[in-house]
Amino acid sequence: MFQINENYQKLPGSYLFSTIAKKVAAFTQENPEKSIIRLGIGDVTQPLAPAITDAMHKAVDEMGSAETFHGYAPDLGYEFLRKAIAENDYRARGCDIAEDEIFVSDGAKSDSANIQEIFAAESRIAVCDPVYPVYVDSNVMAGRTGTYDAKTERWSDVIYMPCTAENGFVPEFPKETPDLIYLCLPNNPTGTTLTRDQLQKWVDYANQAGAVILYDGAYEAYISEADVAHSIYECKGAKTCAIELKSFSKNAGFTGVRLGYTVVPKELKCNGISLNGMWARRHGTKFNGAPYIVQRAGEAVYSAEGKAQLKEQVAYYMKNAAVIKQGLKECGYTVFGGVNAPYIWLKTPGGMTSWEFFDHLLEKAGVVGTPGSGFGPSGEGYFRLTAFGSYENTAAAVERIKKL
Ligand SMILES: *Cc1c(COP(=O)(O)O)cnc(C)c1O
């Protein structure tokens, strides 16, 4: 009789977004006349920029002609895209990253879930709390997290680093030494980030501890402050301790197009064995490349027109973030984030739990957000609003909240 991977049975149900959907559906049924504004889910709403759709149309035509047709893409991604990435995302920022240290993929969710498999089964992982659930769940599936305690909402073998208002959302070095450290900066869900100096301390810590930092930079395009690093490789010594995961989803609206990349520096080694070589082998065996049309779209992100159009798109969302942050501040909320990320993380008023505030906001204002407790126990008492809606809806939602 076949056996299943029992680790999947250990996964606690992720009820966050399904519970939200159920509550919203129930409310709409009872109050069909009330309009709902959704500032909950972390998906973009603006259409693809013209420079990108132009590049895609052109690539589609190429695919329709025998002379310019493309079959399987090269394992690591097309050179035209890896060159554009190396030049624009790294060398232009003084980071010495070569084309063959870049692995093009279909997005950062899959890369951040898959990267754990090149590490030993007994590796100890450290995550921030609250956290993007993929990091933990992918390690649960691999059998690396021990047992789950439903009461504390924690895994016995995971090292948690609480990030709350008390520590300024700056994770502290854990007491036990981790092997793998997941950092998402700027952060989803808190919308906060670290300065370059604070990140440098983590790089120094990882090098000293012999740990690898898995650095998720999905929100890099939203950085507005000069003392925040756009890449972990801006920190000295990062090439011997860090893997960087990037996505085209949030900077260019590729959530439905699918494109990302992972940087594994050649200097990153374990007992002389190169992780770059291991990831190349893994990529070549288990992945057959992002589509040619999509990689051409990705190249257009780095064209002069693409850059200008996407700068506007990011500014559009960040204007929403400012409207939310300013509006909530004016009516007495304690708010975080929204400066280097499209998320506002607010303290729930009057000691309400995250879910109590969710119900309050839905019933009294018709606004949907995300309860902070859904991202981990340290998210209790917080609430996330996203800046990814339309300006009109965002401004209307803030007006409704002001009237509460
Ligand atoms: C949105 C997001 C991503 C991007 O995932 P894709 O698979 O590239 O769409 C990665 N990490 C975090 C934390 C995110 O919020």
Side-chain angles (χ1 to χ4, degrees):
M1 176 66 188
F2 69 88
Q3 299 293 318
I4 55 164
N5 177 351
E6 288 288 347
N7 294 319
Y8 278 64
Q9 300 304 106
K10 299 180 195 162
L11 286 163
S14 173
Y15 298 119
L16 180 61
F17 289 103
S18 67
T19 306
I20 291 173
K22 269 184 214 146
K23 279 178 178 267
V24 173
F27 180 80
T28 337
Q29 194 151 32
E30 283 162 37
N31 306 275
E33 74 293 348
K34 290 205 178 133
S35 79
I36 301 278
I37 302 178
R38 292 164 204 271
L39 300 182
I41 291 173
D43 196 359
V44 296
T45 55
Q46 291 286 297
L48 294 174
I52 290 160
T53 50
D54 286 350
M56 292 177 90
H57 283 302
K58 196 167 153 243
V60 168
D61 287 341
E62 284 182 63
M63 292 297 275
S65 160
E67 294 76 47
T68 48
F69 169 78
H70 285 77
Y72 288 125
D75 279 355
L76 306 194
Y78 283 101
E79 188 152 322
F80 61 78
L81 179 57
R82 289 187 292 119
K83 255 195 176 136
I85 292 168
E87 191 50 50
N88 290 278
D89 287 348
Y90 296 102
R91 290 200 277 271
R93 296 190 175 120
C95 305
D96 178 25
I97 295 294
E99 280 81 347
D100 59 358
E101 294 175 305
I102 295 165
F103 300 79
V104 174
S105 73
D106 64 351
K109 185 180 197 170
S110 35
D111 281 351
S112 65
N114 291 330
I115 194 74
Q116 45 77 29
E117 70 176 68
I118 63 169
F119 297 97
E122 40 304 322
S123 305
R124 287 298 298 269
I125 71 159
V127 295
C128 293
D129 170 23
V131 69
Y132 181 60
V134 174
Y135 312 150
V136 177
D137 288 0
S138 56
N139 279 287
V140 174
M141 293 168 176
R144 213 176 261 122
T145 55
T147 52
Y148 186 69
D149 181 344
K151 227 199 240 132
T152 60
E153 297 174 40
R154 289 188 159 185
W155 293 90
S156 59
D157 293 352
V158 173
I159 300 167
Y160 292 91
M161 305 179 292
C163 291
T164 60
E166 283 67 42
N167 59 16
F169 303 96
V170 178
E172 284 150 33
F173 301 130
K175 287 187 198 81
E176 304 163 76
T177 306
D179 301 302
L180 306 175
I181 302 160
Y182 289 85
L183 292 180
C184 173
L185 297 167
N187 189 257
N188 176 13
T190 67
T192 60
T193 195
L194 302 190
T195 64
R196 190 178 289 106
D197 292 345
Q198 287 169 327
L199 184 59
Q200 180 67 56
K201 291 200 176 90
W202 271 96
V203 168
D204 295 342
Y205 170 84
N207 272 320
Q208 203 184 356
V212 171
I213 296 176
L214 303 168
Y215 190 79
D216 185 340
Y219 295 95
E220 174 271 317
Y222 293 85
I223 293 171
S224 70
E225 294 182 315
D227 62 351
V228 178
H230 286 258
S231 162
I232 195 167
Y233 303 113
E234 287 180 35
C235 296
K236 268 201 207 77
K239 284 169 79 176
T240 54
C241 72
I243 289 174
E244 184 161 287
L245 311 146
K246 291 290 295 280
S247 165
F248 288 75
S249 287
K250 313 297 166 36
N251 65 325
F254 278 35
T255 54
V257 176
R258 311 306 310 142
L259 191 66
Y261 67 84
T262 287
V263 178
V264 188
K266 278 175 261 173
E267 287 165 51
L268 183 52
K269 288 182 180 164
C270 177
N271 300 324
I273 295 166
S274 156
L275 271 60
N276 177 284
M278 287 180 74
W279 191 243
R281 185 64 196 256
R282 191 268 170 209
H283 218 55
T285 301
K286 297 197 180 183
F287 184 64
N288 240 343
Y292 174 73
I293 298 161
V294 171
Q295 294 198 47
R296 281 293 182 198
E299 183 189 28
V301 166
Y302 300 101
S303 68
E305 308 81 59
K307 279 181 189 168
Q309 291 162 8
L310 294 174
K311 206 171 153 189
E312 262 178 56
Q313 206 169 78
V314 166
Y316 177 93
Y317 293 132
M318 287 311 274
K319 185 174 157 197
N320 290 347
V323 165
I324 301 172
K325 191 160 187 176
Q326 189 55 33
L328 292 184
K329 261 191 189 166
E330 278 166 22
C331 44
Y333 285 87
T334 306
V335 286
F336 306 95
V339 176
N340 297 296
Y343 295 115
I344 306 292
W345 189 244
L346 60 102
K347 197 108 193 62
T348 57
M352 271 189 241
T353 67
S354 297
W355 278 109
E356 281 166 359
F357 186 70
F358 175 90
D359 292 336
H360 176 70
L361 209 58
L362 176 61
E363 285 158 22
K364 300 281 161 27
V367 173
V368 179
T370 313
S373 55
F375 299 99
S378 296
E380 182 57 274
Y382 293 91
F383 199 78
R384 191 189 77 174
L385 293 172
T386 90
F388 282 136
S390 71
Y391 176 75
E392 293 71 24
N393 278 345
T394 305
V398 171
E399 285 313 308
R400 291 185 189 182
I401 295 171
K402 278 184 176 172
K403 288 195 194 111
L404 279 179

